Amino acid sequence: MSKKILIVAAHPDDEVLGCFGTVSKLIKEGYEAYTLILGEGKTSRDEKRLVENKKDEIKILNNEIQKANDVIGIKKVFVETFPDNRFDNVDLLDIIKVISKVKEVVKPDIIFTHYEHDLNIDHQITYKAVITATRPMENECVKEIYSFEILSSTEWNYPLSFSPDTYYDISDTIDLKIEAMKEYRSELCEYPHPRSLEGIELNAKYQGMRIGKRYVEAFKSVRVIK
């Protein structure tokens, strides 16, 4: 039976930025992969959260989510609608329950999720909810949890603390990561913003340079049970 991966991301495009080079590599090796996106991703800049005013933009974004995940062969995408950049206004238990429900459906061996000290509050809460939903009980299916970095959030918090200890060589899959990100037309920024196609490639080169590879994704291991 092939191993299963679940990506738990706060916002649309976080899954691509965080780990798509690695996950596409693992899919090629026979893994099954799934994505859970918790937030709707569009209302944070509004003075008041009125989802109805953003329904057309959210519809476009949801279409981009599916196209981006299709690029690397994600088996299924689960999309929730928690308020963008307002996860701190939601009961943590509600987020934990969503993650737990998807976890029971997928039964992943590996989870990739956010770093606990990102600047973005939704990333911090997503990490906490994942850790709570995967307590290491006797029958827990999740054996490995890794935190990824998100450009324009991980490196924008101070003092800098993301200290990776796990690296995946994505030299053969960086192109797939870039192609997936291109599908997020409504989220892409222009260089020198970190969340640009050039920024993604430069960061992969930087992490690769640290370990003698061309392109790399870096992770902080949270729990690995062997």
Side-chain angles (χ1 to χ4, degrees):
M1 183 181 295
S2 61
K3 284 192 174 182
K4 295 181 179 180
I5 297 165
L6 177 62
I7 306 166
V8 183
H11 313 109
D13 86 3
D14 286 343
E15 78 280 20
V16 178
L17 293 167
C19 62
F20 257 28
T22 297
V23 173
S24 58
K25 184 184 183 80
L26 294 174
I27 289 172
K28 287 175 179 289
E29 294 175 5
Y31 287 67
E32 277 185 13
Y34 301 79
T35 298
L36 167 59
I37 295 175
L38 294 168
E40 36 81 0
K42 279 296 178 185
T43 63
S44 64
R45 289 181 175 83
D46 296 346
E47 187 171 337
K48 291 185 178 180
R49 184 180 185 247
L50 296 172
V51 176
E52 184 67 19
N53 292 345
K54 295 288 187 178
K55 64 180 183 179
D56 291 339
E57 292 179 40
I58 291 172
K59 183 178 179 180
I60 290 169
L61 184 54
N62 285 342
N63 188 47
E64 292 175 348
I65 291 169
Q66 193 59 56
K67 287 183 176 180
N69 280 264
D70 285 345
V71 167
I72 71 163
I74 295 293
K75 196 171 183 69
K76 184 173 181 178
V77 184
F78 302 85
V79 179
E80 292 293 326
T81 57
F82 289 113
D84 186 36
N85 276 285
R86 293 184 175 94
F87 283 18
D88 52 336
N89 290 333
V90 178
D91 287 341
L92 180 63
L93 182 59
D94 292 341
I95 301 174
I96 293 167
K97 284 182 175 179
V98 165
I99 295 170
S100 297
K101 183 178 178 180
V102 173
K103 188 192 73 170
E104 288 306 307
V105 171
V106 174
K107 297 195 180 303
D109 303 277
I110 302 169
I111 286 181
F112 290 98
T113 194
H114 291 281
Y115 178 54
E116 61 179 317
H117 298 304
D118 274 6
L119 182 61
N120 189 288
I121 187 65
D122 293 355
H123 296 185
Q124 297 174 23
I125 291 171
T126 297
Y127 170 86
K128 188 171 184 179
V130 167
I131 296 307
T132 308
T134 58
R135 295 180 182 92
M137 306 289 281
E138 183 178 5
N139 296 319
E140 175 56 52
C141 61
V142 178
K143 300 297 187 286
E144 301 176 39
I145 304 172
Y146 300 95
S147 287
F148 46 60
E149 60 177 336
I150 297 294
L151 290 168
S152 75
S153 183
T154 307
E155 83 281 13
W156 280 1
N157 204 9
Y158 296 93
L160 299 176
S161 64
F162 183 69
S163 183
D165 55 26
T166 303
Y167 300 85
Y168 277 87
D169 183 352
I170 62 166
S171 300
D172 294 335
T173 55
I174 181 68
D175 290 344
L176 282 172
K177 177 172 176 142
I178 296 292
E179 286 304 310
M181 193 62 198
K182 285 179 181 178
E183 296 294 344
Y184 277 115
R185 293 179 178 86
S186 66
E187 299 298 300
L188 266 175
C189 299
E190 293 292 328
Y191 185 80
H193 194 287
R195 202 170 63 253
S196 59
L197 298 179
E198 294 92 334
I200 292 169
E201 183 176 1
L202 284 171
N203 190 60
K205 282 185 175 181
Y206 167 70
Q207 295 293 5
M209 183 176 63
R210 297 176 71 185
I211 62 163
K213 301 293 183 182
R214 290 183 62 80
Y215 294 99
V216 157
E217 281 179 340
F219 304 90
K220 180 72 180 77
S221 60
V222 178
R223 183 167 70 240
V224 179
I225 302 173
K226 295 291 187 182

